[in-house]
């Protein structure tokens, strides 16, 4: 019974890792191809000065790509789970803040693909990804502790 | 915990290399100076020097558009694109230049609408007004 639970957990962990990795690599590549579009999207949130948005427009896509790739490497799955959790938390705060200020933003999450103007949908999507990252962190941590004991 | 911290540092430092390469050589990379015009962007002064009619497209929300807008502008809001595109096509003619604007330099709606006009409607001569409505007000 316990063995079956472990197998199911392992399969679930792999599925979530592959889905999240694919999403982050895709989102990163789309953004890396269009830094000007991403810069306009970041500026739309009106949270950071132009210079910071400019750095983010070049830096953020490659952080996402690397986080996605690292998620597929078992040794790095826990840390990339943390990184994705951190990124999703920042994105969620930015979206909630724009929503509270009544801004008309372009999310900038997946470039033009999967774009939405609905704040509710954006928040739900972020919460689902956040939950996926949390699941990866918890299970990877458990596995790491088990293998060390 | 130390292992996680070291790996996290690695994941945060490694992207600096491709980011720097992209910032230096990306063909459509935005400029570091916000006042520099990127490809496809125009200033109010440039538009005023053009010969021929210009179709102004206001990418702000219908409520904000109703309060004030550039004379003769048509509203084309991201959320109402499919409904409002017909009104735009009524005033657009082949050869006319199209200039899209939104609130200010920080808004991304004008870039979105311009991109959709180029890609979905296959239009040429579509530009984004640098600085948007704010720059129009300060320079008109």
């Amino acid at each position: 019974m316990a063995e079956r639970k472990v197998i199911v957990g392992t399969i679930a962990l792999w599925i979530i890792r592959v889905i999240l990795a694919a999403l982050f690599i895709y989102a990163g590549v789309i953004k890396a191809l269009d830094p000007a579009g991403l810069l306009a999207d970041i500026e739309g949130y009106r949270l950071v000065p132009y210079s910071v948005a400019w750095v983010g427009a070049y830096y953020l896509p490659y952080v996402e790509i690397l986080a996605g790739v690292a998620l597929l490497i078992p040794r790095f799955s826990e840390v990339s789970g943390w990184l994705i959790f951190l990124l999703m938390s920042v994105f969620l705060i930015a979206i909630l803040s724009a929503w509270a200020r009544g801004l008309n933003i372009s999310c900038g999450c997946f470039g033009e693909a999967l774009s939405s103007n609905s704040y509710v949908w954006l928040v739900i999507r972020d919460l689902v990804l956040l939950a996926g990252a949390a699941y990866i962190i918890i299970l990877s941590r458990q596995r790491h502790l088990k293998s060390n004991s | 915990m130390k292992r996680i911290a070291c790996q996290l540092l690695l994941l945060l430092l490694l992207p600096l290399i491709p980011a720097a390469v992209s910032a230096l050589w990306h063909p459509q990379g935005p400029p570091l100076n916000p006042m520099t015009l990127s490809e496809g962007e125009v200033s109010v002064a440039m538009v005023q020097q053009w010969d021929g009619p210009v179709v102004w497209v206001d990418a702000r929300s219908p409520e904000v558009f109703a309060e004030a807008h550039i004379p003769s502008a048509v509203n084309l809001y991201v959320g109402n694109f499919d409904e409002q595109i017909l009104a735009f096509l009524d005033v657009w003619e082949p050869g006319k230049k199209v200039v899209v604007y939104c609130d200010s330099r920080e808004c991304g709606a004008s870039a979105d609408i311009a991109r959709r006009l180029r890609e979905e409607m296959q239009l040429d001569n579509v530009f984004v007004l640098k600085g948007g409505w704010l720059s129009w007000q300060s320079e008109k």
Side-chain angles (χ1 to χ4, degrees), chain A residues 24-46:
Chain A
F24 269 76
I25 292 169
Y26 174 72
V29 170
I30 291 273
K31 288 173 191 165
L33 292 173
D34 183 19
L38 180 59
L39 175 62
D41 291 340
I42 297 174
E43 282 212 282
Y45 285 89
R46 299 178 196 188

Side-chain angles (χ1 to χ4, degrees), chain B residues 93-129:
Chain B
E93 286 167 18
K96 269 189 180 179
K97 287 176 177 167
V98 178
V99 182
V100 190
Y101 68 92
C102 49
D103 276 329
S104 59
R105 189 172 48 76
E106 289 87 7
C107 64
S110 52
D112 276 354
I113 292 291
R115 194 160 40 212
R116 290 185 73 171
L117 289 174
R118 289 187 202 113
E119 292 172 6
E120 294 177 25
M121 308 304 295
Q122 304 284 310
L123 300 188
D124 297 323
N125 291 327
V126 179
F127 304 90
V128 169
L129 180 66

Side-chain angles (χ1 to χ4, degrees), chain B residues 128-139:
Chain B
V128 169
L129 180 66
K130 185 88 177 180
W133 172 245
L134 282 183
S135 72
W136 166 267
Q137 281 189 309
S138 59
E139 291 185 44

Side-chain angles (χ1 to χ4, degrees), chain B residues 67-86:
Chain B
E67 286 172 19
H69 54 260
I70 294 176
S72 81
V74 288
N75 191 204
L76 199 47
Y77 181 56
V78 171
N80 302 341
F81 188 86
D82 293 337
E83 296 82 27
Q84 293 181 318
I85 192 68
L86 295 173

Side-chain angles (χ1 to χ4, degrees), chain A residues 14 17 70-79 140, chain B residues 3 7:
Chain A
W14 261 107
R17 276 167 62 184
L71 208 50
L72 298 172
I73 305 169
R75 193 182 165 80
F76 282 87
S77 68
E78 187 184 345
V79 72
S140 300
Chain B
R3 174 184 66 94
Q7 288 181 343

